Amino acid sequence: MLKLIRAGMVASLILALSIHASFSQTAFGEEDSKSKTALGKVQSFSRVGEFTRAFEEIANVEDPAMRDEAHSSIARMQMKAGLIHAAVETASYIESDVNRSDVLAEASASRSKAPVARGGGVTPDFDQLIDLITTTVEPESWEELGGPGSIAPFPTGVYVDSEGTLQRVTKLSNDSLLSEIHHSSKIVTMNQDVSTQSVLRKVSLTRLEKEAQLRSTLGRDPTDTMLNMAGIYDVKYLFVYPETGEIVIAGPAGPWHANAEGRHVNVATGRPVLQLDDMVVLLRNAMQEHGKFGCAITPTQNGLKSAQEYLNATSGKPLYPRQRDQWLEGLRTAVGKQDITVHGVSPDTRVGQIIVEADYHMKRIGMGLEDGTAGVPSYLEMVTIPPGGSAPPMDVLRWWFTLDYRNISVTEKRDAFALQGPGVKVLSENEHLDAQGQRIHTNTSTALNATFARNFSTHYAALAVKYPIYAELKNIFDLAMVCSLIENERLADQVDWNMTHFGPKGGYQVTTGSAPTVVDTIMNMRVIDKKHIIAGVSGGVNFDPSSMLTEDKISVDEYGLMTADRAASNSPETLKHHSWWWD
């Protein structure tokens, strides 16, 4: 009897599951059928130029893939009609970045094939003005995107009133037109004043990539706000939101300006702000080079050999005070230029230039050619000779920058990350020279050499205030760690981000400059008790994140603070379609 009851219960359960599955399939089939019907209408309306009705019909396309196909269809028809900027705006609603990139590539090709004026006359070009107005003043309100507003070129001018009605303008009697456009622009950017100080500003890398790609398609460079990453000057968090498809960098931010050296720094703190070009370079480096990069400034073997010969030739002659500068210059000439090499990133990028500049400047402080800060005397200042002792031999001091993070804090779900530690430190080594000028690595450092490296590391924050180049290096190290985390943790896969513009195969063009290959020799001397102490220096920058990407370096936030900050930092529902940062 019990067996019969159990058998009946199993049969009932199977029947219930079958009914549920049948109902689900039916519901899905109805939804799919509805989306297909709506998609067909979208394509039909688009083919005859009825873009407003096509956009209205998209509301009935519930399937995400079909909705992307609908937007793609409209965009391609807009291209055929010559409405390139409208096609780009439509493409911005395609959720798949791969599909969006395909459509944008077509739009870019269509734009490059646009007809030009022939003959001696000049044809007025209204495209840029129209693009400016329709992408600045309530972009979603124009006819090509389903809104009530319309705009077109007019021989004597173009003006669109607040109702979206085209008005002819032959003469502006006052600034009312500009005032109205300015007021409408303020509505678009309401609650998004990038010049406002923010304790925790958020930049969505996925949204930022999309907006930069849209501009690139229309032949426009990234905006100043994009290039300066909305003014963030310190990386506090890396957040991941699979539910909204976003990877977010968060940190303090505010207005910036160019300082006397031309660096873009925060107005209040003087800290350099993050740079989009650096982020793209380091993201590509993380994907292609496993996050490893660096530089070296080293004397040549022939130069060191010549220096040894110069010392041997002049060591037996007395050196008077007035001759010291001339003698030192002769030694520098004998050594010649030092070679600069950069690996992992292109030397003509800003990242390549910053690491070289920081390394060179650090060595000048060590040699007493630049002032340090409290607690950071030069190496030569610290040299002492005991009574009856001799001056140390002319070894080559090697100093180099490397990363200095204690650990990486993460949430239990690994959807928020925070770097812990100063970020940058200096290491040291003494290298011997043989008679041929060959540098011999010792893998050891004298107490004096190690003291300089330790002092520089301990007071790095103070040095970064006095010399912003070190704050720039810290930003690069932080961004490099963020990019390595994105790659190592497969965060892009979690949000379906294919990096079609910022990735190695993307079309984002990083600004480049001249890449130095040699530099004047960094060498100095000091006389103590009539004895000459001569020091030369080599080294570089070595960034290798692999030691920080192991489980023993991961620390789970047990207090829930990061989880709370992540929850409070998600993109607000009121965020505009083209916005990519928020406070």
Side-chain angles (χ1 to χ4, degrees):
M1 183 67 180
L2 182 60
K3 289 183 178 179
L4 290 173
I5 293 174
R6 286 180 176 175
M9 291 175 64
V10 171
S12 298
L13 179 60
I14 292 174
L15 178 61
L17 290 173
S18 299
I19 294 173
H20 176 74
S22 177
F23 176 79
S24 298
Q25 290 175 357
T26 301
F28 177 78
E30 291 177 355
E31 179 182 307
D32 187 56
S33 177
K34 179 181 177 182
S35 292
K36 284 184 178 178
T37 301
L39 174 60
K41 291 182 179 180
V42 169
Q43 293 171 334
S44 297
F45 286 136
S46 298
R47 281 193 290 269
V48 296
E50 291 284 348
F51 299 124
T52 299
R53 297 184 67 183
F55 274 107
E56 291 172 352
E57 197 60 45
I58 283 182
N60 298 317
V61 182
E62 298 177 359
D63 179 73
M66 291 188 188
R67 193 161 52 244
D68 276 0
E69 187 178 349
H71 281 116
S72 299
S73 298
I74 295 175
R76 289 187 169 102
M77 289 299 105
Q78 288 171 324
M79 288 180 223
K80 287 186 177 181
L83 303 171
I84 305 302
H85 72 284
V88 171
E89 179 64 24
T90 300
S92 72
Y93 289 87
I94 300 175
E95 293 182 10
S96 166
D97 57 351
V98 173
N99 294 342
R100 186 193 318 125
S101 292
D102 290 341
V103 174
L104 291 177
E106 295 176 34
S108 181
S110 298
R111 188 179 64 84
S112 64
K113 295 177 183 178
V116 296
R118 298 184 178 182
V122 178
T123 301
D125 181 9
F126 294 96
D127 287 345
Q128 290 187 353
L129 178 58
I130 292 175
D131 287 351
L132 173 64
I133 295 174
T134 57
T135 56
T136 301
V137 183
E138 295 290 357
E140 299 162 37
S141 68
W142 298 96
E143 182 180 42
E144 290 137 351
L145 295 176
S150 61
I151 186 170
F154 200 86
T156 55
V158 60
Y159 166 52
V160 185
D161 65 18
S162 59
E163 299 298 321
T165 305
L166 180 69
Q167 300 287 347
R168 178 174 178 173
V169 177
T170 57
K171 182 179 180 180
L172 289 178
S173 58
N174 53 49
D175 63 355
S176 59
L177 170 61
L178 295 178
S179 297
E180 184 166 347
I181 293 176
H182 178 261
H183 175 70
S184 299
S185 301
K186 286 168 63 178
I187 295 174
V188 175
T189 58
M190 187 180 296
N191 299 322
Q192 275 209 304
D193 184 358
V194 78
S195 65
T196 301
Q197 292 286 354
S198 175
V199 176
L200 195 66
R201 181 159 294 166
K202 301 89 183 177
V203 167
S204 168
L205 299 183
T206 45
R207 286 175 178 260
L208 175 56
E209 182 192 51
K210 184 184 81 169
E211 294 307 315
Q213 189 174 21
L214 295 175
R215 294 185 63 84
S216 176
T217 302
L218 293 171
R220 300 170 182 164
D221 294 330
T223 66
D224 190 55
T225 303
M226 291 177 177
L227 292 173
N228 291 282
M229 296 193 71
I232 293 179
Y233 58 84
D234 187 28
V235 177
K236 185 173 182 181
Y237 291 124
L238 172 66
F239 294 131
V240 189
Y241 299 98
E243 62 274 18
T244 58
E246 295 185 76
I247 293 177
V248 173
I249 289 178
W256 64 88
H257 66 163
N259 67 4
E261 296 177 322
R263 304 183 195 281
H264 289 185
V265 300
N266 179 267
V267 172
T269 66
R271 290 278 302 274
V273 298
L274 303 184
Q275 296 297 301
L276 175 58
D277 276 7
D278 296 347
M279 198 276 298
V280 172
V281 167
L282 295 168
L283 189 60
R284 292 170 178 175
N285 165 265
M287 299 174 70
Q288 296 177 308
E289 304 289 341
H290 305 290
K292 299 177 182 179
F293 65 91
C295 70
I297 299 178
T298 54
T300 65
Q301 182 178 343
N302 287 337
L304 291 175
K305 180 181 178 182
S306 298
Q308 290 280 42
E309 294 172 351
Y310 180 84
L311 290 173
N312 293 336
T314 59
S315 60
K317 302 176 183 178
L319 187 61
Y320 299 102
R322 66 178 182 274
Q323 298 175 315
R324 289 172 186 167
D325 289 344
Q326 182 180 354
W327 180 88
L328 181 59
E329 187 58 35
L331 179 59
R332 287 177 178 150
T333 301
V335 176
K337 301 283 188 180
Q338 290 181 272
D339 290 334
I340 297 174
T341 57
V342 177
H343 66 272
V345 296
S346 178
D348 60 2
T349 62
R350 215 186 80 95
V351 172
Q353 293 166 349
I354 289 296
I355 61 177
V356 169
E357 182 186 354
D359 181 47
Y360 185 67
H361 195 275
M362 178 262 288
K363 290 170 173 55
R364 287 182 59 82
I365 290 178
M367 289 292 97
L369 300 172
E370 294 276 359
D371 293 331
T373 189
V376 189
S378 72
Y379 172 86
L380 289 174
E381 285 181 82
M382 296 188 293
V383 173
T384 59
I385 300 178
S390 59
M394 185 191 144
D395 290 347
V396 173
L397 308 171
R398 183 167 174 257
W399 301 321
W400 68 98
F401 286 113
T402 190
L403 54 80
D404 186 26
Y405 299 101
R406 292 190 301 272
N407 56 57
I408 300 173
S409 296
V410 302
T411 53
E412 195 170 333
K413 294 182 178 180
R414 293 175 93 104
D415 52 14
F417 304 81
L419 304 175
Q420 305 295 338
V424 186
K425 67 180 177 182
V426 176
L427 297 180
S428 63
E429 180 192 18
N430 285 74
E431 296 177 330
H432 296 322
L433 296 177
D434 64 17
Q436 301 302 314
Q438 183 72 41
R439 295 159 52 216
I440 303 171
H441 289 284
T442 66
N443 295 319
T444 60
S445 181
T446 63
L448 186 63
N449 196 15
T451 297
F452 171 76
R454 185 170 57 253
N455 288 344
F456 202 101
S457 301
T458 301
H459 298 280
Y460 190 89
L463 286 162
V465 172
K466 184 174 183 178
Y467 299 112
I469 180 59
Y470 300 122
E472 294 258 35
L473 183 65
K474 169 67 161 50
N475 282 350
I476 284 175
F477 273 31
D478 286 349
L479 282 176
M481 279 303 307
V482 163
C483 293
S484 292
L485 283 169
I486 290 173
E487 177 66 9
N488 192 69
E489 297 284 327
R490 297 292 184 263
L491 302 184
D493 293 340
Q494 295 182 30
V495 299
D496 294 326
W497 185 26
N498 294 283
M499 303 183 194
T500 56
H501 195 53
F502 287 166
K505 296 181 180 180
Y508 183 89
Q509 297 292 318
V510 175
T511 300
T512 57
S514 300
T517 56
V518 294
V519 69
D520 290 333
T521 290
I522 307 170
M523 184 174 283
N524 206 356
M525 62 175 266
R526 181 184 172 200
V527 178
I528 302 177
D529 194 22
K530 298 182 180 180
K531 297 181 177 66
H532 296 79
I533 297 90
I534 306 155
V537 63
S538 69
V541 174
N542 182 37
F543 188 93
D544 182 354
S546 57
S547 62
M548 290 301 305
L549 299 175
T550 56
E551 285 302 313
D552 63 310
K553 292 292 186 180
I554 300 297
S555 174
V556 177
D557 173 35
E558 298 178 350
Y559 298 99
L561 298 178
M562 290 175 61
T563 300
D565 280 345
R566 176 188 177 276
S569 298
N570 202 351
S571 56
E573 295 181 0
T574 56
L575 197 65
K576 292 286 185 178
H577 175 63
H578 287 288
S579 296
W580 49 269
W581 67 268
W582 59 93
D583 289 330

